[in-house]
Amino acid sequence: MLRAVRERDAYANLVLPALLRERGLSGRDAALATELAYGACRSLGLLDAVIAEGAGRSIEEIDGSLLDVLRLGVYQLLRTRIGAHAAVDTSVALARAEAGAGKAGFVNAVLRRAGEKTPEQWVEALAPADPVGRLAFEYAHPVWIAQAFADALGARAAELGAVLAADDARPLVHLVARPGDITAEELALVTGGEEGRWSPYAVYLDGGDPGKLEPVREGMAAVQDEGSQLVALALTRAELDGQDTGRWLDLCAGPGGKAALLGAIAAIDGFRVDAVEPAAHRAELVRKAVRDLPVDVHVVDGRASGLTPGYDRILVDAPCTGLGALRRRPEARWRRTPADVRDLVVLQRELLTAAWDLLRPGGVVVYSTCSPHLPETVSIVADATRRLGAEQLDTRELLPGVTDVGDGPGAQLWPHRHGTDAMFLAALRKPR
């Protein structure tokens, strides 16, 4: 899996399940493989710094196949309870099989150097001196992302260590119980999970393959972060000026989780949802997610959808850097760069403007991102409020019972406070 990520920029969470099935791994073996693979992806920056120090050369000078072995070995040494002797021996054996005895000696030497210090001692030896840089190194994040989190925390930037630690931990699996099909209480009983804290449809699982669960196989439940559920629910709870005629729109629907939850809620009242997704393969994922629901999928660009204006409620869950969902995408933190933000901000602004044009007077747009990064969140909303004359609602009121989501009028969820992805959401109403 590490080779697939390194050589062809594969997505770890797509590659690994297929490999586990192909190799026939299950139970504790699958759990260990997942921990090593995802853990090594998440911890890349810290692991590479220790490897470079132990090797006395830069990472770029080390053969790729050996680098994969070294990353696995150093991860076991510094971030698991696997014994040092076992971690070194298995890594050396793997290097010998991959590259021969000579290269195995090199791996042995580097790992023995890595094992000479505790994780805390390595942080002390290699981390930058500034507080943000030190925390970024300790919790294996690029410095620019740690700084973006600190900026978003504002006056509570002292929580940065807690955010990064939560982001670096293995997250629980969140399920959503489809309204009208099964309750969260029933889903928790069937799956052995625990009912969620914030969403009335959420259930937490400690692990395992959710795809094997009967309610998931039968379409009564799906995997969906609780924060994403709260975004969809906020749209349904926002107070309109005038009657809800039942025309709802998800303008950025792929891969379909929020569209499915909106569709299930809409079905209860006889409403319909339009779901827009420009990429054909992702639109197909939306169709599978909303099967048997009153949802119409449109394969068009949301900025020029050709849809008839007059929607009561529109969700703009905009494409973003995904900085708030890094804990579920192990390798993503090392792929994103500050340069990505510029083009995304332009796209976010254009999508929100397009949604505004499709909204009826008195209707509500909920803008959301799975990123707390200020240029993608409060800056986009402030710009739209100024340009479009939007009335910004207090989004906190659309999250009943959810505590500590900021000073308003937007709301920010955090993994260390809420156990969710770091979702941002804001509700804008169109004046009559």
Side-chain angles (χ1 to χ4, degrees):
M1 196 214 78
L2 291 180
R3 180 178 296 140
V5 169
R6 176 178 53 79
E7 289 184 348
R8 60 176 198 269
D9 279 345
Y11 292 102
N13 63 333
L14 298 182
V15 171
L16 186 64
L19 281 172
L20 293 176
R21 286 192 296 271
E22 179 189 313
R23 306 300 165 90
L25 292 184
S26 61
R28 293 177 65 186
D29 286 339
L32 176 60
T34 301
E35 168 65 20
L36 295 182
Y38 285 178
C41 282
R42 274 198 306 269
S43 309
L44 212 60
L46 182 146
L47 301 180
D48 284 359
V50 172
I51 290 167
E53 184 72 12
R57 65 184 77 166
S58 73
I59 291 299
E60 290 72 27
E61 297 176 62
I62 300 174
D63 180 73
S65 60
L66 288 183
L67 190 56
D68 295 334
V69 174
L70 285 167
R71 285 167 172 167
L72 274 175
V74 175
Y75 180 77
Q76 291 175 76
L77 287 171
L78 300 186
R79 293 203 149 195
T80 74
R81 291 176 294 185
I82 293 169
H85 183 73
V88 173
D89 277 6
T90 52
S91 300
V92 169
L94 190 54
R96 187 177 291 114
E98 286 279 321
K103 298 292 175 67
F106 169 71
V107 168
N108 182 57
V110 174
L111 291 181
R112 293 199 180 282
R113 285 286 309 279
E116 289 171 0
K117 289 184 172 69
T118 65
E120 295 76 20
Q121 288 170 333
W122 278 119
V123 170
E124 202 63 43
L126 301 179
D130 68 286
V132 172
R134 182 186 176 89
L135 286 170
F137 183 85
E138 181 177 356
Y139 294 109
H141 281 69
V143 175
W144 80 272
I145 292 179
Q147 187 61 60
F149 287 174
D151 293 343
L153 287 164
R156 295 175 64 172
E159 295 179 21
L160 179 60
V163 176
L164 296 176
D167 212 32
D168 207 30
R170 180 174 65 89
L172 294 174
V173 175
H174 291 185
L175 298 180
V176 58
R178 178 178 284 184
D181 284 347
I182 192 171
T183 67
E185 181 182 15
E186 291 165 342
L187 183 60
L189 286 171
V190 170
T191 61
E194 177 188 347
E195 288 183 64
R197 283 192 294 168
W198 314 115
S199 163
Y201 307 115
V203 169
Y204 307 150
L205 295 181
D206 194 32
D209 182 357
K212 293 180 177 178
L213 298 171
E214 187 177 349
V216 174
R217 288 202 314 270
E218 294 185 359
M220 294 189 295
V223 176
Q224 185 178 43
D225 184 79
E226 191 173 19
S228 293
Q229 297 175 40
L230 292 173
V231 168
L233 288 170
L235 181 69
T236 69
R237 293 165 175 163
E239 186 178 343
L240 306 179
D241 185 354
Q243 184 183 356
D244 192 338
T245 65
R247 282 195 75 204
W248 298 358
L249 170 63
D250 182 351
L251 196 62
C252 310
K258 296 181 185 71
L261 181 52
L262 289 172
I265 295 170
I268 295 169
D269 291 318
F271 294 168
R272 291 200 73 82
V273 179
D274 284 306
V276 168
E277 169 53 52
H281 68 285
R282 282 171 64 85
E284 192 54 40
L285 294 176
V286 178
R287 286 194 187 95
K288 288 179 181 176
V290 303
R291 192 175 60 248
D292 303 326
L293 292 171
V295 179
D296 301 306
V297 181
H298 306 266
V299 188
V300 290
D301 189 324
R303 293 169 292 182
S305 65
L307 295 171
T308 304
Y311 287 95
D312 300 287
R313 303 178 188 274
I314 301 178
L315 175 62
V316 181
D317 182 41
C320 66
T321 54
L323 301 190
L326 296 178
R327 63 197 190 129
R328 300 195 186 278
R329 297 164 190 163
E331 75 291 336
R333 68 187 67 176
W334 307 109
R335 286 187 178 157
R336 284 297 188 193
T337 70
D340 297 330
V341 179
R342 185 172 53 251
D343 291 341
L344 284 166
V345 163
V346 172
L347 177 59
Q348 290 156 0
R349 186 181 298 122
E350 290 172 348
L351 285 166
L352 188 49
T353 301
W356 194 254
D357 292 340
L358 292 168
L359 189 69
R360 71 160 175 82
V364 171
V365 167
V366 166
Y367 172 83
S368 68
T369 59
C370 55
S371 169
H373 198 17
L374 295 178
E376 303 181 84
T377 57
V378 293
S379 295
I380 291 288
V381 174
D383 170 72
T385 304
R386 186 183 66 253
R387 280 190 304 111
L388 306 173
E391 176 192 355
Q392 196 169 350
L393 305 181
D394 190 340
T395 314
R396 297 172 298 178
E397 295 176 1
L398 310 181
L399 303 172
V402 185
T403 57
D404 214 6
V405 292
D407 299 327
Q412 179 66 61
L413 301 167
W414 290 102
H416 70 297
R417 292 184 198 166
H418 306 102
T420 67
D421 291 344
M423 299 292 300
F424 169 85
L425 58 158
L428 304 174
R429 187 161 58 202
K430 193 171 193 175
R432 280 187 175 276

